[in-house]
Amino acid sequence: MLLGLDGSPVWRVARVLGVIPVTALAAPDPPAPRCSGQAAVLARHGYGALLVDSRGHGLSGGHAMDFGWWGGRDIAAAVSFLARQPGIHAGKIALLGEPMGGEQALAAAGSDPRIRAVVAEGATGQQLADHGWLPYGIDGVLQRGMEWVQYTAAGLLSGASQPGSIRDGIRAAAPRPVLIIAGGAVADEPVAARWFQAASPATVQVWVVPHAGHTQGLATAPRAWEARVISFLNAAVRPSG
């Protein structure tokens, strides 16, 4: 059990796989077993994988916030836990998350220099500032209005402050690299991914997995997912390897 920075028990160590000369922190949307397939891929390539339950989900305590606004402090707690473990190399911690976990990771990377790289799948945003990719016609105006009400009410009811925007996090994280994976069968995901990429084109890669549904990249194209993600992580945290 890990403690959040406010003392809430928010992260559960679900599984630790592999020997950990280099570590990838899988920060999944709840519950933690969602990313077990991804963790197994990482372990096959010599990465340790710490799977976590988000605050208020699975076996993690605290109050759930389904837009992920506690993510910054909770990811910081998980990274601190990893950094204290034997065999962990400073500067070689990466985050992998889907979909809310990916959004949290993208936003958190900008304020935590210990995070060397981020892989985010299915990310479309966790607040109104992340949704600049929405259309600007009447449909977009109506959707923005509904989201303003939704996010304002969520903040008041949960007591959580809105995190920094994903694009700000990406800019602040540069030159550290980011890989955003989008489902080709989900209309919004490639559009959102490319809008996020525009914040720092030199450091953000976008991979649209053909025919993949929401967070179904590994299931749809397992060999391609493994090759793309492992190649990205190796370049990011094993540059001399």
Side-chain angles (χ1 to χ4, degrees), residues 71-76 79 95 101-113 115 118 126 163-166 169-170 173 176:
R73 67 176 64 187
D74 294 345
I75 286 175
V79 172
L95 305 184
E103 293 160 357
Q104 291 173 321
L106 291 168
S111 59
D112 194 335
I115 299 168
V118 173
Q126 54 183 349
S165 73
I166 286 175
I170 288 171
R176 289 170 285 151

Side-chain angles (χ1 to χ4, degrees), residues 11-221:
W11 293 98
R12 175 174 65 93
V13 181
R15 296 178 185 174
V16 180
L17 300 174
V19 180
I20 314 180
V22 182
T23 299
L25 165 65
D29 205 9
R34 183 185 188 110
C35 281
S36 58
Q38 288 84 344
V41 171
L42 297 174
R44 283 202 300 271
H45 291 269
Y47 289 88
L50 170 67
L51 279 72
V52 296
D53 285 336
S54 294
R55 177 184 296 235
H57 295 89
L59 297 183
S60 288
H63 296 290
M65 205 298 168
D66 287 343
F67 296 132
W69 291 0
W70 298 117
R73 67 176 64 187
D74 294 345
I75 286 175
V79 172
S80 294
F81 170 83
L82 280 175
R84 294 193 299 268
Q85 304 311 303
I88 298 298
H89 294 180
K92 294 195 173 186
I93 293 175
L95 305 184
L96 184 154
E98 60 169 36
M100 185 179 79
E103 293 160 357
Q104 291 173 321
L106 291 168
S111 59
D112 194 335
R114 299 172 300 173
I115 299 168
R116 185 66 187 86
V118 173
V119 179
E121 183 165 353
T124 56
Q126 54 183 349
Q127 59 170 307
L128 194 58
D130 295 332
H131 290 164
W133 51 268
L134 288 171
Y136 282 92
I138 186 63
D139 290 344
V141 171
L142 290 173
Q143 187 167 345
R144 285 182 178 86
M146 290 187 292
E147 288 188 356
W148 182 87
V149 173
Q150 176 179 262
Y151 290 131
T152 300
L156 292 172
L157 292 171
S158 69
S161 299
Q162 289 193 21
S165 73
I166 286 175
R167 296 226 311 184
D168 284 348
I170 288 171
R171 289 190 194 99
R176 289 170 285 151
V178 169
L179 171 62
I180 301 177
I181 302 172
V186 185
D188 288 345
E189 286 188 15
V191 176
R194 293 188 178 106
W195 189 75
F196 295 141
Q197 182 185 37
S200 182
T203 61
V204 179
Q205 302 175 32
V206 170
W207 177 37
V208 179
V209 184
H211 313 299
H214 182 54
T215 69
Q216 292 299 301
L218 179 60
T220 303

